[in-house]
Amino acid sequence: MNRPVPNPGILDIAPYTPGKSPVPEPGRKVYKLSANETPFGPSPKAIEAYKHAADHLEDYPEGTSRVLREAIGRAFGLDPDRIICGAGSDEILNLLAHTYLAHGDEAISSTHGFLVYPIATMANGATNVVAAERNFTANVDAILQAVTPRTKLVWLANPNNPTGTYLPFDEVKRLRAGLPSQVLLVLDAAYADYVSRNDYEMGLELVATTENTVMTHTFSKIHGLAALRVGWMFAPAHIVDAVNRIRGPFNVSTAAMLAAVAAIEDTTHQQMSKTFTEKWRNWLTEEIGKLGLEVTPSVANFVLIHFPTEKGRTADEADAFLTRRGLVLRGLKNYRLPHALRMTIGTEEANHLVVDALREFMAGSK
């Protein structure tokens, strides 16, 4: 039977698998801790701005997201003309791959890097090259050793999802200096708002001072606008010009744009969320560690929990145990982490319930 055939390599791509959504059951409260969503929701000001947009749903959005680019520029001290907005940072990552990758090219990502990277790479006919990590952290030397004449792009999530680890800014600069000038370095700073380390920088300085580095960010995490799909990129002018040539003219809705402007201006809401996250991230790391489980040190709004491999104590069994109690975490087989679960930092109630359930699980397995 004759029928359309996908381009070579498309059917080799493993589809992105999101964190599972809980199925409500009568009489049981369910806590979704699988998708790194903020437990606070968006700023009330963002909700109000979103509602106001309903008065003009017949109008197309302004095609360049000007008001949002200007708001981002004010918040970070950036030139709005060097900012592109998208339907989540995922769209921008795919636009970058479409702009700079083709058949025969290579792009490098780390062992446990964000799953969108190999998808975007392979969707454009390029080869995804995996650089080994060290202690669940991107390794600059391994990335540089993976570079070949076919390398066109390097993906680096900093902080990384799903490990929660990060590279200090000096290491990021060393990476940039060691890459050939024609290789584009993409710094994905989706979780940057949660970091409070003196040696961390989200990448704005490198973008401002080089011609071959971009930084992407999102409104889905600390701003709580995941349902609206809003992201942005700061890049050199020549990259902005190239990507804008293929970007859809109305890729960010008016409602999303206005809500994002209100969200980025509500610094009080952001600081509240960051302070809460730091407190409970430290608490969860310590309390889960007391149960005999290893937790990778995280700077993001989630923790990576490692489980033993012996029967009765595995990550799969822990996942099933927690799910039966309405506690939904993220399994990580597709991230090459079959013995780990990722837990979003939730409400105080949810955090306590997970620790109590894990204590029961570990006691019952002995």
Side-chain angles (χ1 to χ4, degrees):
M1 179 179 67
N2 292 328
R3 62 184 184 184
V5 177
N7 286 332
I10 293 295
L11 296 182
D12 295 327
I13 298 173
Y16 181 84
T17 305
K20 61 184 177 182
S21 295
V23 179
E25 295 182 11
R28 187 184 74 169
K29 188 173 182 179
V30 176
Y31 302 83
K32 183 185 176 188
L33 305 170
S34 59
N36 297 342
E37 297 154 337
T38 172
F40 300 108
S43 160
K45 297 176 181 178
I47 296 173
E48 190 64 25
Y50 176 81
K51 290 178 178 177
H52 284 164
D55 294 336
H56 300 283
L57 295 184
E58 72 279 10
D59 297 333
Y60 279 103
E62 191 279 315
T64 72
S65 302
R66 178 183 56 81
V67 296
L68 179 53
R69 290 187 294 108
E70 290 175 350
I72 295 168
R74 289 191 299 271
F76 290 94
L78 306 176
D79 179 359
D81 289 338
R82 292 181 59 178
I83 296 171
I84 286 179
C85 296
S89 55
D90 290 356
E91 183 196 22
I92 295 171
L93 299 174
N94 278 281
L95 287 171
L96 287 167
H98 193 44
T99 304
Y100 291 100
L101 294 176
H103 286 271
D105 293 337
E106 294 176 349
I108 300 171
S109 59
S110 64
T111 304
H112 307 300
F114 187 35
L115 290 178
V116 166
Y117 305 153
I119 293 173
T121 297
M122 296 170 68
N124 289 279
T127 299
N128 177 58
V129 176
V130 178
E133 296 180 1
R134 180 185 296 140
N135 297 326
F136 303 104
T137 306
N139 184 332
V140 170
D141 293 321
I143 293 172
L144 293 177
Q145 289 168 9
V147 173
T148 75
R150 302 197 321 181
T151 304
K152 295 294 177 64
L153 188 150
V154 171
W155 306 105
L156 179 66
N158 198 33
N160 186 55
N161 171 33
T163 61
T165 56
Y166 77 104
L167 282 183
F169 187 45
D170 284 349
E171 280 293 277
V172 178
K173 288 191 290 186
R174 186 167 75 86
L175 173 61
R176 176 65 274 174
L179 291 171
S181 60
Q182 72 272 18
V183 174
L184 177 63
L185 174 60
V186 180
L187 301 175
D188 180 354
Y191 296 92
D193 298 303
Y194 295 106
V195 185
S196 296
R197 300 294 180 90
N198 292 333
D199 59 353
Y200 175 81
E201 207 274 333
M202 64 194 299
L204 299 178
E205 179 184 322
L206 267 183
V207 177
T209 57
T210 67
E211 291 291 308
N212 44 20
T213 310
V214 304
M215 189 279 305
T216 65
H217 203 13
T218 181
F219 282 86
S220 296
K221 305 306 175 189
I222 204 166
H223 296 295
L225 298 179
L228 294 186
R229 313 307 304 127
V230 195
W232 58 280
M233 172 179 74
F234 178 53
H238 68 97
I239 292 178
V240 169
D241 174 64
V243 173
N244 267 333
R245 292 169 186 266
I246 62 170
R247 177 185 60 82
F250 308 114
N251 60 329
V252 181
S253 72
T254 300
M257 217 183 301
L258 297 179
V261 169
I264 203 169
E265 292 177 347
D266 191 349
T267 55
T268 300
H269 188 80
Q270 296 168 48
Q271 188 57 49
M272 176 274 298
S273 180
K274 181 177 182 178
T275 300
F276 178 94
T277 299
E278 288 179 347
K279 171 185 175 181
W280 288 99
R281 183 176 63 213
N282 293 337
W283 184 85
L284 284 165
T285 301
E286 181 178 352
E287 293 300 316
I288 295 172
K290 291 176 181 177
L291 305 178
L293 297 170
E294 180 185 350
V295 180
T296 297
S298 172
V299 296
N301 70 329
F302 56 85
V303 292
L304 181 67
I305 309 167
H306 301 270
F307 290 83
T309 57
E310 64 261 29
K311 184 175 175 56
R313 308 181 73 179
T314 66
D316 281 346
E317 290 165 309
D319 194 22
F321 184 92
L322 293 166
T323 300
R324 287 194 296 270
R325 284 154 178 75
L327 302 166
V328 182
L329 276 60
R330 176 72 183 265
L332 298 169
K333 289 186 176 68
N334 52 351
Y335 276 101
R336 300 185 176 95
L337 291 165
H339 307 302
L341 298 176
R342 189 191 69 193
M343 175 190 171
T344 307
I345 295 163
T347 62
E348 180 176 349
E349 179 185 22
N351 297 334
H352 276 287
L353 287 172
V354 170
V355 170
D356 290 344
L358 285 175
R359 183 180 296 110
E360 184 182 345
F361 171 75
M362 296 299 290
S365 65
K366 294 177 181 177

